[in-house]
Amino acid sequence: MKVEKSKIQNCIIAKDVRIIEPVNLYGCSISESVFIGPFVEIQKGVKIGKRSKIQSHSFICELVEIGNDCFIGHGVMFINDTFSNFSPAKGDKSLWKKTKISNNVYIGSNATILPVRICPDVIIGAGSVVTKDISLPGKYAGNSSKLISEK
């Protein structure tokens, strides 16, 4: 049996970053005092802000930016291909879309985040599916996620 080792390639990693292996990190930018749990993949061009935590088994695809002081729970999936016109992009990156997570955003385990913008001071409940931009601070949950209480 062959066990794959972690791959950390062409990343900019600031001081005081804690990475629990195995992970796949390539071409991303990790700010200071970030925690990255095991079995996480962070793709190229992704930016992770200061003091954020990425828990195990999460997938952060290209075109995602995560702000400072954020929490990404276990098994959170970010999506950049929306299958527009009922067809996957099939590697055509011009069809991919960006995701911007502002500061102080907490995303519960097993949430799925489509290409959206999320304002500061938002909590996303576990298992939620975020399909639209969130511009009002508060707590959101469900599929598709809805505001359940304002901040």
Side-chain angles (χ1 to χ4, degrees), residues 53-112:
K53 285 183 135 185
I54 314 297
Q55 298 291 51
S56 70
H57 298 86
S58 290
F59 174 74
I60 305 174
C61 59
E62 290 183 48
L63 301 176
V64 172
E65 184 177 334
I66 296 173
N68 299 329
D69 302 303
C70 291
F71 176 86
I72 308 300
H74 300 276
V76 172
M77 298 291 137
F78 287 84
I79 309 296
N80 59 14
D81 182 355
T82 60
F83 282 68
S84 56
N85 300 323
F86 301 101
S87 176
K90 296 181 183 172
D92 182 353
K93 294 181 182 182
S94 70
L95 298 175
W96 293 357
K97 297 183 178 164
K98 294 181 181 182
T99 296
K100 173 131 174 54
I101 309 297
S102 297
N103 299 333
N104 301 309
V105 172
Y106 302 89
I107 300 176
S109 295
N110 292 315
T112 300

